Amino acid sequence: HFFDSLQDQFDNLEKHTQWGIDVLEKYIKFVKERTEIELSYAKQLRNLSKKYQPKKNSKEEEEYRYTSTRAFLATLNEMNDYAGQHEVISENMTSLITGELTRYVQELKQERKSHFHDGRKAQQHIETCWKQLEASKRRFERDCKEADRAQQYFEKMDADINVTKADVEKARQQAQLRHQMAEDSKAEYSSTLQKFNSEQHDHYYTHIPNIFQKIQEMEERRIVRIGESMKTFAEVDRQVIPIIGKCLDEITKAAESIDHKNDSQLVIEAFKSGFEPPGDIDFEDFTQPMKRTVSESSLSNSRGDGKSEPKFGGKSKGKLWPFIKKNKLMSLLTSPHQPPPPPPASASPSAVPNGPQSPKQQKEPLSHRFNEFMTSKPKIHCFRSLKRGGAGPEDFSNLPPEQRRKKLQQKVDELNKDIQKEMDQRDALTKMKDVYIKNPQMGDPASVDHRLAELGQNIEKLRIEVQKFEGWLAEVEGRLPMRTEQARRQSGLYEAQNSSAVNSCAQDRESPDGSYTEEQSQETEMKVPATDFDDEFDDEEPLPTIGTCKALYTFEGQNEGTISVAEGEMLYVIEEDKGDGWTRIRRNEDEEGYVPTSYVEVYLDKNAKGA
């Protein structure tokens, strides 16, 4: 019974220690899944950060000049570092917990197996001793019984007078033999019993307690080890908290660096046009028999007094409101010709004296015009941009003055950098040539002459380009009303070489109806005295004639940029129709403008047209 009870205890201990190993393996699995979550989280964070990073050579890169977007970029970079700390958590948990505990579990299984093997071996040994004792005891008992029977038989034979002496002696000897066997069995039993008692004492007081003690120590080490692993689990997480805190601090710092005033100023600088607000509109008295006029400071400048200011007749620039297309306002306020008028139905000029859209026709009320403007959709392409094919001009004249100035300044800076690079190369080659001259064995001095000549030509071309763009830049800076003389470009070419460029640009960017196109629709009038312009316009070389034309009908050009012609009149063609229905003609040195192409018959010079 005691043996069975002890065996039950071994079974209980075996089940409990196996449960302990299962708990350890479950914790290892838990930590492993946590590391996988950390890795997955870090990967998702990195992908998220990469997804919102600005793409190279894209418009997004320009957006990162604002402090708010730079702060967002800093946040994305810090999220990368933040993700890296979660990768560190995963790596440390894998090496310090998962890997260590996996090896420990293998060692624990081997140790447990050894302890229970020793326990089973001790149990088997004591059971064997017990069996030997039982066998010795049964043999001693049997021999004692046999000796008693032999003694009784001898006594019976000795008392019987009929039994021969020899039979009695035989019975006596048998009784003595059985008695001796019983004594021997007794001695053996006694020896076996002493041995068993000693083995049993050692078993219950030494072997089994030692085995139980080892199993207990093994189990306690397992418990301590899983506790230490849990501490490591928390410590690994705690170690990255300072670095994660720094990442969060950097995000906070980036957020605090956002400057709303600076961002607003950047927007202002990016979209500042340099336009002046429109002036007041004069009262139009319809009770007087006079033409409707608009003051010179209003949204749209009329042709003005051509005699008092001959150099600006048909070319004066009107001030624009920054958010309104000038050609739209001009069409709404003064009803100019947008498309050219069709030819009259009859050949007689009196049939349609002023064309279908003559400025002398009755104008609509101003309030109705403004209502039409407020409800109309903005035009995508203006008249002039369609005429010129919609491509951006080299002088950036399609931009507002302030933006054009920035673009031109940027272009000048780029060209100056290119010049500096070319000059650096030329200096380096010059030094190399000097070395070759002093040491002919190192190379032929004439071998670099061709390259030096190329660099010289390149530098000269770039300088010409710089002069051209600086001229445009000086023109724009002269037009800006808010800029002072100190802020203007200090270029000697401003007065000398660019007066004709200013004039030609002014002519070229006007449409026949006198309104500016989208390319120049946001440009303000030049704040330069009229006398300066007189000199500049006097120096302008007129456009060459490319042919002649004959007026088929009478056309009274009442709008800015047009010219009136009489039926049958012969004139010079200086610019043929570009696809918009207008042809540019000249009567004399002072009179030129646009007429509808359908009103004239053009005879182009072959040489001029070919050129």
Side-chain angles (χ1 to χ4, degrees):
H1 176 73
F2 190 78
F3 290 147
D4 293 340
S5 176
L6 186 62
Q7 185 62 42
D8 291 342
Q9 295 300 329
F10 266 101
D11 292 342
N12 292 335
L13 288 177
E14 194 167 12
K15 291 178 182 178
H16 178 75
T17 52
Q18 181 60 47
W19 171 83
I21 291 176
D22 293 341
V23 169
L24 201 56
E25 290 179 335
K26 183 188 294 185
Y27 184 73
I28 292 172
K29 185 178 180 182
F30 160 75
V31 175
K32 186 176 181 181
E33 291 183 4
R34 164 74 189 277
T35 59
E36 291 173 354
I37 290 173
E38 293 290 343
L39 282 178
S40 176
Y41 181 50
K43 183 179 180 181
Q44 291 179 20
L45 283 179
R46 289 192 183 277
N47 290 339
L48 181 66
S49 176
K50 182 179 179 181
K51 177 181 178 182
Y52 287 93
Q53 287 284 348
K55 297 177 177 59
K56 293 183 177 180
N57 301 325
S58 68
K59 186 180 179 182
E60 292 182 8
E61 283 192 332
E62 298 180 3
E63 298 173 356
Y64 282 86
R65 58 183 174 173
Y66 300 105
T67 57
S68 56
T69 46
R70 285 204 303 268
F72 178 57
L73 182 60
T75 300
L76 295 178
N77 295 333
E78 293 301 327
M79 289 305 295
N80 248 333
D81 297 340
Y82 188 91
Q85 295 311 305
H86 285 278
E87 292 172 349
V88 170
I89 291 176
S90 176
E91 293 171 1
N92 290 341
M93 285 187 176
T94 300
S95 60
L96 300 177
I97 299 178
T98 307
E100 293 292 331
L101 285 186
T102 301
R103 288 190 293 271
Y104 177 70
V105 166
Q106 298 301 323
E107 296 172 0
L108 187 64
K109 288 180 178 180
Q110 292 296 328
E111 184 180 1
R112 173 179 173 276
K113 181 179 179 181
S114 175
H115 292 329
F116 283 101
H117 175 73
D118 293 341
R120 284 191 293 270
K121 188 176 179 181
Q123 283 291 100
Q124 291 173 359
H125 177 69
I126 198 67
E127 288 176 3
T128 300
C129 291
W130 172 256
K131 290 177 181 178
Q132 289 177 355
L133 177 63
E134 287 293 315
S136 178
K137 180 181 177 181
R138 287 194 296 271
R139 189 165 51 253
F140 172 57
E141 182 182 8
R142 186 180 65 250
D143 289 345
C144 286
K145 289 179 179 180
E146 290 292 337
D148 286 342
R149 285 196 294 269
Q151 184 64 28
Q152 291 174 5
Y153 180 72
F154 166 66
E155 291 177 354
K156 182 180 178 181
M157 293 293 290
D158 188 34
D160 191 356
I161 58 172
N162 296 321
V163 177
T164 60
K165 190 177 181 178
D167 290 337
V168 172
E169 185 63 23
K170 184 177 179 181
R172 186 182 66 78
Q173 292 179 355
Q174 187 66 27
Q176 288 180 349
L177 179 61
R178 290 296 179 181
H179 181 71
Q180 185 61 40
M181 289 176 66
E183 288 295 332
D184 293 341
S185 296
K186 181 181 178 180
E188 183 183 356
Y189 171 64
S190 176
S191 174
T192 304
L193 181 60
Q194 290 180 0
K195 182 180 179 183
F196 174 76
N197 289 334
S198 176
E199 291 288 345
Q200 183 177 251
H201 184 275
D202 292 340
H203 179 75
Y204 289 106
Y205 288 93
T206 305
H207 299 313
I208 294 301
N210 287 341
I211 293 173
F212 282 178
Q213 183 66 29
K214 291 178 181 179
I215 294 175
Q216 180 180 344
E217 291 174 355
M218 177 191 71
E219 181 66 9
E220 289 175 352
R221 285 198 306 273
R222 179 193 66 81
I223 296 171
V224 170
R225 191 64 177 267
I226 196 171
E228 291 176 348
S229 298
M230 290 179 180
K231 287 182 181 179
T232 305
F233 182 86
E235 190 62 29
V236 166
D237 223 331
R238 186 178 290 110
Q239 286 175 352
V240 302
I241 288 178
I243 303 178
I244 290 178
K246 288 182 180 179
C247 294
L248 300 178
D249 290 342
E250 289 297 325
I251 293 175
T252 303
K253 183 179 177 181
E256 292 173 349
S257 69
I258 295 176
D259 186 351
H260 57 284
K261 295 291 185 183
N262 180 74
D263 286 2
S264 297
Q265 190 61 35
L266 287 175
V267 175
I268 292 171
E269 290 296 328
F271 299 109
K272 182 167 64 175
S273 64
F275 296 143
E276 288 183 349
D280 296 336
I281 299 177
D282 288 347
F283 175 77
E284 300 181 58
D285 190 355
F286 291 97
T287 61
Q288 300 295 328
M290 59 182 291
K291 294 183 179 180
R292 177 184 178 186
T293 60
V294 180
S295 66
E296 184 176 346
S297 60
S298 65
L299 289 174
S300 140
N301 286 341
S302 64
R303 290 178 59 89
D305 188 359
K307 296 181 179 180
S308 61
E309 291 182 6
K311 300 302 179 181
F312 289 93
K315 297 182 179 61
S316 63
K317 311 298 188 290
K319 303 172 188 176
L320 298 183
W321 188 247
F323 308 109
I324 301 176
K325 294 284 189 293
K326 178 174 178 181
N327 56 355
K328 180 64 179 179
L329 269 181
M330 294 290 291
S331 67
L332 296 177
L333 296 179
T334 60
S335 185
H337 305 313
Q338 281 297 335
S346 65
S348 174
S350 61
V352 185
N354 295 320
Q357 296 185 0
S358 171
K360 294 183 179 180
Q361 64 185 354
Q362 185 178 1
K363 295 182 172 63
E364 296 178 333
L366 184 62
S367 60
H368 177 73
R369 290 279 177 187
F370 267 111
N371 291 335
E372 179 188 350
F373 168 74
M374 296 302 292
T375 57
S376 64
K377 297 183 179 179
K379 294 182 180 180
I380 298 177
H381 294 290
C382 67
F383 174 79
R384 192 66 170 182
S385 63
L386 289 176
K387 177 181 177 181
R388 297 303 182 191
E394 184 184 14
D395 61 352
F396 304 107
S397 56
N398 59 322
L399 299 177
E402 183 65 22
Q403 303 304 317
R404 184 187 178 199
R405 183 189 64 79
K406 289 182 180 180
K407 287 289 187 181
L408 289 172
Q409 185 63 58
Q410 181 181 355
K411 187 68 176 179
V412 169
D413 294 341
E414 291 175 358
L415 290 172
N416 284 330
K417 288 181 181 179
D418 293 340
I419 290 175
Q420 188 59 43
K421 289 180 181 178
E422 296 290 323
M423 292 178 67
D424 292 341
Q425 292 186 32
R426 186 180 65 180
D427 293 343
L429 284 176
T430 303
K431 292 179 180 179
M432 183 183 296
K433 182 177 180 180
D434 293 340
V435 172
Y436 288 168
I437 293 173
K438 295 178 181 179
N439 301 286
Q441 66 275 11
M442 297 182 66
D444 183 11
S447 61
V448 297
D449 289 342
H450 179 67
R451 178 57 181 162
L452 283 173
E454 286 184 356
L455 290 174
Q457 293 175 1
N458 293 342
I459 292 172
E460 187 62 28
K461 290 178 181 178
L462 289 173
R463 283 176 176 168
I464 293 173
E465 285 291 306
V466 168
Q467 290 176 2
K468 179 173 67 176
F469 280 95
E470 283 182 343
W472 286 329
L473 182 59
E475 169 197 343
V476 175
E477 290 181 338
R479 290 174 185 267
L480 291 179
M482 300 303 295
R483 296 182 61 85
T484 61
E485 288 297 330
Q486 290 78 5
R488 297 183 183 180
R489 297 286 299 172
Q490 302 298 324
S491 173
L493 301 173
Y494 178 56
E495 295 293 338
Q497 298 182 4
N498 286 287
S499 58
S500 60
V502 173
N503 195 8
S504 61
C505 288
Q507 289 181 351
D508 187 57
R509 286 192 292 274
E510 278 192 356
S511 62
D513 59 9
S515 65
Y516 274 116
T517 66
E518 190 171 2
E519 295 180 8
Q520 191 62 20
S521 63
Q522 295 177 332
E523 189 171 14
T524 59
E525 63 181 349
M526 294 186 65
K527 298 296 183 178
V528 181
T531 55
D532 296 339
F533 271 88
D534 291 343
D535 296 337
E536 292 174 3
F537 274 77
D538 290 338
D539 295 337
E540 180 189 5
E541 293 183 6
L543 293 175
T545 59
I546 59 174
T548 59
C549 66
K550 179 181 179 182
L552 302 177
Y553 313 102
T554 298
F555 173 72
E556 297 184 7
Q558 297 294 328
N559 285 346
E560 197 171 350
T562 61
I563 185 172
S564 59
V565 295
E567 181 179 358
E569 184 179 2
M570 295 297 295
L571 305 111
Y572 296 101
V573 178
I574 58 175
E575 184 178 344
E576 61 179 321
D577 190 343
K578 300 294 185 180
D580 54 356
W582 295 89
T583 299
R584 190 172 179 180
I585 64 173
R586 178 187 297 147
R587 177 176 288 113
N588 50 50
E589 293 182 358
D590 295 328
E591 292 185 73
E592 64 180 46
Y594 289 88
V595 296
T597 305
S598 57
Y599 276 56
V600 295
E601 183 176 1
V602 179
Y603 309 96
L604 293 179
D605 295 340
K606 294 183 179 181
N607 295 335
K609 188 172 183 180

